[in-house]
Amino acid sequence: MIDSVKNYAVSALLSVDEKIIYSIPRYQREYTWGKWQWDTLFEDLVENDKNYFLGSIICINQTKDSLEVRSLELVDGQQRMTTLSVFMAAVYAHYCNPEFEITDDLIGARLNLKNKLILKGVKNQSRLVPQVQNNNQQDYRYVLKEAGLFSDADYIAHMGNRRIMRAYRHFHLRVDEFLNEVDSIDARLVALDELIEKINTATLVKIEVSSHSDAYTLFESLNNRGVPLTAIDLIKNKLLSKLEVSEQGSIDQDYDDWKKVLEELGEDYAVQERFFRHYYNAFKPALKDIVNVSVATKSNLMQIYDKLIAHDAKRFLKEVIRHSELYSQIISNKNVPEQPKLSYFLQDLARVQGVPSYLLMLLLFAKREEFKLDYSHLERVTKSLIAFFVRRNATDKPATRDLTRIFMGIADKLLSNNESGQLSYSSEQVVALIVDALHGVSTDEDTFRKALSGNLYDDNTALCRFLLCAIEERYMTRETSKNLWQLRGKKYLWSIEHIFPQGENIPNCWVDMIAEGDKTLAKEYLETHVHRIGNLTLTAYNGELSNFSFDKKQDLKDKLSGEAVGYRNGLYLNKDLVDPDSWTISQIEARTEMLANKILNMYPIDG
């Protein structure tokens, strides 16, 4: 896996006699370090002894032949290497101070530093070649020109506002301040020599590997100072690197196509990674001749996609573009076109924590025409999945560790039944197969009822809220419709309200009502009944209701509008809370049984 690993001094890493280029691929992330990192690097080198350890870099060496110039693809540590190079350029600019007396030592120091940054014997070839994003490469070349290292480089508009030029000017100023601590010209030259000696003797571990897959395996165990590349970064790098070789000149279009994938998936890395796991797990039977991995996980993702991309990079890119568009609909990043009912069910599937089933949904969306599925079939499947996850998340059966295997098993059955490469299930058979499979692994009715009748809020608060919202939405009309999923900041406007308050300090009015003044008994009831669904409702005024007595919670009104915001607010969930003069344990138990029966009827596995 590792071709070589060695701790190098910077002077050896950038040896003037080695014709090595450190190339940052054009599709890597742009240069992002700022003032905090610049100052940290400067102060670490200045304030510590020689041989200061700067971290590690990972390079992919795919040039095994004896080329005159060897190019290493720098896939981790590029931020550090770019910053270090810019720092060294600022030091070189100071060596060119006309106040210094020209001596053999000065000429030698200049030349030695120059040949660390510029490849010896090759005109205007920098040792580090940054990526092209946000003009990084052109900005770096101009920095080298401004420092006196390049003879020619183009100025790109607004360069001074971008990070590489700002880094160079910041280091130039820091070196100025460093040298101004001494008085004479001779002392400044000595200080400059000491500074470059600190840089030259600083060390970096250089790890060379031969593939992106090997690089990702290392990222799993290394803790570098910078932000290491993710599996998604490496999949992109591998894909675009392969396409750049096979289709020269297409890299910009390929990169734009890749960005379409991430735009569909959104900015959340967890969602992006999950898509690539689900893509392989859904279509594994069709990919078995290319990749032989039992299940895609976080740790083997790069191993899988290394092979898929190597097999046919162009087809792979086309496929992930198409499937990311479908996945975006499944995860409710956008609606299914002209299918509001299915889009609504998919939102509920997400709300009920049905993410493990997305691999199956991706297969069904992708193969919809081949299975002759219309959208009503997808609605039925989605409803069955919602029912499955309501039951599963209430009881924790089947176990979380088994969910991926279950849905991969269903996908495998659907893809394995074919004649001459054509899928041979009818649409009704597809739905029946899925429903039967869910029935086979779902919890039994008695276990489900017991979970619904227990401390559901304490066991799974998110599921509890979902069920309360689902019950309320079932009885909404146009006149009473409310958006129960509306956010206020990062929290839902409508939250769960405990009728008998859940706090440890039970108000006296509730001790009297719930336990006839017996504080010990009230404490027992707090543990056994407060989190049952029969003691819960929804409110947009949780803070106002607080620990109020039952009658105050019934009658609470908005101070400004005068509208009822307590239990007389018209919610279906509150219909049993409007008339009673008190709230008792027997009422909690009766309402729990009523709501549990309602949920059992709402969520049959067959949709």
Side-chain angles (χ1 to χ4, degrees):
M1 180 180 76
I2 298 176
D3 293 340
S4 67
V5 54
K6 187 176 179 181
N7 189 25
Y8 288 91
V10 169
S11 60
L13 198 68
L14 304 175
S15 172
V16 297
D17 297 320
E18 294 283 347
K19 291 194 174 181
I20 297 177
I21 294 172
Y22 297 94
S23 179
I24 304 173
R26 62 194 307 168
Y27 32 81
Q28 287 272 30
R29 63 166 72 110
E30 65 184 71
Y31 182 66
T32 59
W33 274 20
K35 184 177 182 296
W36 182 85
Q37 289 99 336
W38 302 335
D39 284 335
T40 299
L41 179 66
F42 185 91
E43 288 156 12
D44 282 348
L45 289 170
V46 169
E47 295 173 5
N48 286 285
D49 294 334
K50 296 178 183 179
N51 305 310
Y52 183 76
F53 179 60
L54 292 172
S56 61
I57 62 174
I58 300 177
C59 305
I60 297 176
N61 179 13
Q62 295 179 323
T63 56
K64 299 300 184 182
D65 53 352
S66 55
L67 295 173
E68 184 178 354
V69 176
R70 189 159 61 105
S71 179
L72 298 180
E73 188 176 329
L74 187 59
V75 295
D76 193 48
Q78 65 267 34
Q79 302 285 332
R80 187 178 305 106
M81 284 291 285
T82 303
T83 306
L84 186 63
S85 298
V86 170
F87 183 9
M88 294 170 73
V91 173
Y92 182 86
H94 282 81
Y95 267 116
C96 297
N97 185 338
E99 295 183 359
F100 290 146
E101 180 184 354
I102 303 298
T103 64
D104 290 343
D105 288 342
L106 178 62
I107 293 172
R110 283 182 185 174
L111 186 60
N112 186 275
L113 180 52
K114 178 177 181 178
N115 287 334
K116 285 182 172 58
L117 295 170
I118 308 297
L119 207 60
K120 184 179 179 181
V122 183
K123 184 179 180 181
N124 284 0
Q125 174 60 66
S126 59
R127 178 84 61 178
L128 177 78
V129 182
Q131 71 281 69
V132 298
Q133 286 192 54
N134 199 24
N135 297 305
N136 281 179
Q137 192 174 116
Q138 291 165 301
D139 289 354
Y140 181 71
R141 291 179 64 85
Y142 197 84
V143 160
L144 296 184
K145 177 186 176 183
E146 189 159 304
L149 289 155
F150 263 14
S151 58
D152 187 44
D154 294 329
Y155 176 85
I156 307 297
H158 310 298
M159 182 181 295
N161 295 326
R162 293 191 292 271
R163 288 182 183 267
I164 286 184
M165 179 57 77
R166 285 166 53 198
Y168 173 72
R169 290 174 177 167
H170 184 78
F171 281 119
H172 202 285
L173 180 62
R174 289 302 306 263
V175 176
D176 274 342
E177 294 170 348
F178 177 75
L179 297 180
N180 285 337
E181 293 179 6
V182 295
D183 297 329
S184 68
I185 291 296
D186 290 343
R188 288 180 184 177
L189 184 55
V190 170
L192 198 59
D193 288 339
E194 291 174 351
L195 178 58
I196 199 60
E197 182 67 9
K198 289 284 189 74
I199 295 173
N200 281 334
T201 58
T203 64
L204 284 155
V205 171
K206 182 175 78 169
I207 305 170
E208 288 189 30
V209 296
S210 55
S211 71
H212 289 84
S213 179
D214 291 342
Y216 182 63
T217 302
L218 283 173
F219 295 148
E220 291 284 286
S221 56
L222 286 180
N223 181 23
N224 291 327
R225 278 186 170 188
V227 179
L229 295 179
T230 65
I232 306 307
D233 291 324
L234 287 165
I235 290 170
K236 173 195 68 176
N237 294 355
K238 174 70 176 181
L239 173 64
L240 297 179
S241 178
K242 179 76 172 176
L243 291 170
E244 190 171 25
V245 172
S246 62
E247 299 184 0
Q248 292 186 4
S250 70
I251 190 67
D252 291 334
Q253 181 59 54
D254 292 333
Y255 181 63
D256 288 342
D257 287 341
W258 171 263
K259 287 196 292 186
K260 292 177 185 176
V261 174
L262 299 191
E263 286 167 3
E264 293 288 354
L265 300 177
E267 296 181 356
D268 188 340
Y269 172 75
V271 174
Q272 296 172 6
E273 181 205 76
R274 190 178 67 214
F275 164 74
F276 283 97
R277 284 190 283 114
H278 283 172
Y279 175 83
Y280 175 76
N281 290 338
F283 298 99
K284 178 193 168 189
L287 302 171
K288 62 184 178 181
D289 293 335
I290 306 170
V291 184
N292 184 25
V293 173
S294 60
V295 58
T297 63
K298 292 180 180 181
S299 60
N300 67 14
L301 205 58
M302 194 57 218
Q303 176 188 349
I304 291 169
Y305 284 95
D306 210 13
K307 292 180 180 178
L308 292 178
I309 292 166
H311 178 72
D312 190 338
K314 196 66 179 178
R315 180 181 177 184
F316 170 78
L317 178 56
K318 183 179 178 181
E319 288 291 303
V320 293
I321 290 172
R322 173 174 173 257
H323 288 92
S324 65
E325 292 172 354
L326 299 175
Y327 200 78
S328 180
Q329 298 171 21
I330 293 166
I331 66 177
S332 299
N333 274 3
K334 61 184 183 184
N335 290 332
V336 182
E338 301 179 3
Q339 298 297 324
K341 191 174 181 181
L342 177 57
S343 297
Y344 176 81
F345 288 151
L346 289 168
Q347 287 181 338
D348 268 1
L349 183 59
R351 291 164 178 164
V352 79
Q353 306 157 40
V355 169
S357 67
Y358 287 172
L359 74 91
L360 175 61
M361 294 304 295
L362 181 59
L363 175 65
L364 297 180
F365 269 61
K367 300 288 185 182
R368 189 173 69 84
E369 293 183 2
E370 293 177 67
F371 283 129
K372 297 181 174 58
L373 298 171
D374 59 34
Y375 286 109
S376 67
H377 294 117
L378 293 178
E379 290 169 9
R380 287 163 56 192
V381 169
T382 309
K383 286 182 67 178
S384 293
L385 288 168
I386 292 168
F388 169 78
F389 278 103
V390 166
R391 291 161 175 258
R392 187 268 146 204
N393 292 333
T395 61
D396 285 329
K397 297 178 181 178
T400 302
R401 64 178 179 275
D402 295 328
L403 293 176
T404 296
R405 175 187 55 78
I406 289 168
F407 290 109
M408 286 183 70
I410 298 173
D412 185 57
K413 286 182 181 178
L414 291 173
L415 287 178
S416 297
N417 185 40
N418 64 80
E419 297 173 359
S420 304
Q422 297 297 314
L423 301 174
S424 57
Y425 281 118
S426 69
S427 55
E428 288 299 324
Q429 286 174 324
V430 168
V431 175
L433 185 152
I434 294 169
V435 170
D436 288 346
L438 295 177
H439 264 300
V441 296
S442 187
T443 190
D444 62 83
E445 295 293 299
D446 288 342
T447 303
F448 184 33
R449 180 184 294 277
K450 183 177 180 181
L452 293 174
S453 303
N455 291 328
L456 188 63
Y457 176 90
D458 204 30
D459 294 336
N460 192 323
T461 304
L463 174 65
C464 193
R465 186 184 186 282
F466 172 84
L467 292 173
L468 291 170
C469 290
I471 293 169
E472 186 61 40
E473 288 172 342
R474 192 179 182 90
Y475 293 93
M476 281 183 183
T477 65
R478 289 183 180 179
E479 288 76 17
T480 63
S481 179
K482 296 176 176 62
N483 181 5
L484 300 177
W485 297 96
Q486 179 182 347
L487 291 171
R488 178 187 284 167
K490 293 184 178 181
K491 295 183 177 180
Y492 291 117
L493 173 63
W494 289 84
S495 59
I496 294 176
E497 148 72 1
H498 288 73
I499 302 164
F500 170 28
Q502 65 173 323
E504 287 295 321
N505 297 318
I506 306 172
N508 289 332
C509 61
W510 278 99
V511 173
D512 293 339
M513 178 176 288
I514 209 81
E516 297 181 347
D518 187 333
K519 290 186 177 181
T520 301
L521 184 59
K523 286 278 189 181
E524 291 178 10
Y525 288 153
L526 186 74
E527 293 181 5
T528 58
H529 285 72
V530 76
H531 291 319
R532 294 193 187 187
I533 198 167
N535 188 54
L536 306 174
T537 185
L538 293 170
T539 179
Y541 292 83
N542 207 314
E544 285 83 347
L545 292 174
S546 187
N547 289 343
F548 280 169
S549 63
F550 184 64
D551 60 330
K552 284 187 177 181
K553 289 189 176 190
Q554 287 175 311
D555 298 330
L556 187 68
K557 293 183 178 181
D558 183 87
K559 293 180 180 178
L560 295 178
S561 67
E563 293 183 1
V565 296
Y567 298 156
R568 302 186 194 279
N569 63 0
L571 288 187
Y572 170 82
L573 284 169
N574 292 341
K575 70 182 183 65
D576 296 326
L577 307 178
V578 173
D579 296 328
D581 295 328
S582 62
W583 189 243
T584 65
I585 292 302
S586 61
Q587 286 170 293
I588 292 174
E589 290 174 345
R591 187 167 178 266
T592 296
E593 183 178 1
M594 181 271 292
L595 292 177
N597 286 333
K598 194 173 293 294
I599 293 165
L600 281 162
N601 292 328
M602 287 172 63
Y603 294 105
I605 291 293
D606 58 9

